[in-house]
Amino acid sequence: MQHWDVVVVGGGPAGAACATAARRADPAARVLVLDRADFPRDKVCGDGVAPEALDVLAGLGVDPAGLTAGYAVLPRLRLRSPGGTTVERTMQRPARVVPRAVLDARLLAAGLAAGAEFRRHAVRRIAVHPTHVEVDGVLTAGVLVGADGAESVVRRALGLGPNRPDRLAIALRGYAPVPAGLEDVQLIATTEQRWPAYAWSFPLGDGRANVGYGELVSGGVNRAGLLAGLERLLPGVGAAELKAHRLPLSTGRPRQPDGRVLLAGDAASLINPLTGEGIFYAVLSGALAGAAAAAGGGAGAAYRAALRRRLGRHLAHSSTASWASRWPAVMDAVFRAAAGDQRVFDDVVHLGLADGRLTARTLGAAVRRLR
């Protein structure tokens, strides 16, 4: 069996960032990326890329301009609360919208350019040993990183169960002509019905928008309910290529185990519970996992510590905000506060799309606007 220093299962943003980081940490490391699909391939997602995700990748030597070339730069975001309060402002830094078929292929190419190798292979079985991890009886790894998404085979092999229904969302995504008035702005529209739930419209810059609707699995929603939610919040949108996917939220993330097997991105339930954003968490956790892989048998503990240092306080704050958001009146108050103060708007965006925290300024402003 071939032996590799690091084997990454999954070639999406978490896996590609992990492979790049592993090679950057040790240019002599033999790094292999496995994925069941060839690239480019589509991935069900909102396609929004926060600037902080690009910062992480730039720190790995990946050119952000090359990743996003040819697609929309969107400086403005419109938020609509369950009660109808609407706020639209310019973000501190613009977001990008890049189809995942394009973004993921470019990210994987960057990892291969850094010296990683790629092999199409659907992983079915792993066996963890004191000195290595065996994959399907055909190869071994000093460290194995599961970056294989919400239905992670690696996570299941570790005996870690799926998220509870109240910590798991499901969303339906499609592409449509950009809705009128939203040609150069991202929209997130929340709703009281089957709360917490929201629809989005993210323009690609070519006359189309990525549109979708999602809510918690615990509400018992089905495909018909998702379609109805999309039509209710974005009437007449006429989306095509509609596909659904599950989002394991960070409020249900498992403890990263010790040892030689790591979990990154969706496989680690690193999805923002407020917005469903996952690309920032994916590339950040992938980068941290790639760096930690150099620790060999101590990789799990090193990675867990790195995640705690980098995201611990943010995840605690986003979980608290997610809990509070169960009351639509709270969201109405927050959105009214954001409409009245650019700094509050910036705090809300940073908490929902990157690694921000609940600030005293935002909490105080929201409390004053509770009705």
Side-chain angles (χ1 to χ4, degrees), residues 195 251 272-274 314-327 330-331 334 351-352 357-358 363:
W195 177 262
T251 46
N272 193 299
L274 295 170
H314 160 73
L315 291 171
H317 284 222
S318 64
S319 294
T320 300
S322 175
W323 171 81
S325 75
R326 294 182 298 173
W327 289 277
V330 173
M331 294 298 287
V334 171
L351 180 65
R357 300 171 185 174
L358 288 169
L363 290 170

Side-chain angles (χ1 to χ4, degrees), residues 167-266:
R167 288 163 171 75
L168 182 69
I170 186 167
L172 189 77
R173 174 279 273 160
Y175 292 94
V178 178
L182 295 175
E183 291 80 5
D184 58 356
V185 61
Q186 289 184 299
L187 167 71
I188 294 177
T190 61
T191 174
E192 273 189 312
Q193 188 169 342
R194 303 182 71 93
W195 177 262
Y198 75 90
W200 70 85
S201 172
F202 297 162
L204 294 168
D206 60 1
R208 298 179 302 150
N210 181 310
V211 298
Y213 171 82
E215 61 180 69
L216 290 178
V217 169
S218 56
V221 70
N222 55 21
R223 184 179 178 86
L226 293 173
L227 289 168
L230 179 60
E231 177 63 24
R232 186 172 65 250
L233 294 178
L234 290 174
V237 70
E241 302 176 60
L242 286 163
K243 299 178 182 178
H245 65 299
R246 299 201 299 174
L247 301 166
L249 305 177
S250 64
T251 46
R253 66 190 182 279
R255 181 182 187 274
Q256 165 61 44
D258 290 328
R260 297 179 178 273
V261 182
L262 317 182
L263 297 172
D266 292 16

Side-chain angles (χ1 to χ4, degrees), residues 105-121:
R106 290 175 176 178
L107 278 172
L108 181 59
L112 302 185
E117 297 185 38
F118 175 80
R119 184 179 300 170
R120 184 174 180 179
H121 179 86

Side-chain angles (χ1 to χ4, degrees), residues 42-69:
D42 187 27
K43 196 72 173 180
V44 182
C45 179
D47 295 342
V49 185
E52 291 80 5
L54 298 177
D55 292 343
V56 174
L57 294 165
L60 298 177
V62 180
D63 176 23
L67 291 175
T68 61

Side-chain angles (χ1 to χ4, degrees), residues 4 30-34 111-112 115-119:
W4 300 79
R30 299 186 69 239
V31 179
L32 177 66
V33 179
L34 302 175
L112 302 185
E117 297 185 38
F118 175 80
R119 184 179 300 170

Side-chain angles (χ1 to χ4, degrees), residues 74-79 87-91 184-188 202 345 349 353:
L74 298 170
R76 295 185 68 78
L77 173 65
R78 183 183 303 174
L79 303 172
V87 53
E88 180 181 323
R89 287 184 178 273
T90 299
M91 294 180 283
D184 58 356
V185 61
Q186 289 184 299
L187 167 71
I188 294 177
F202 297 162
F345 180 85
V349 171
L353 300 182

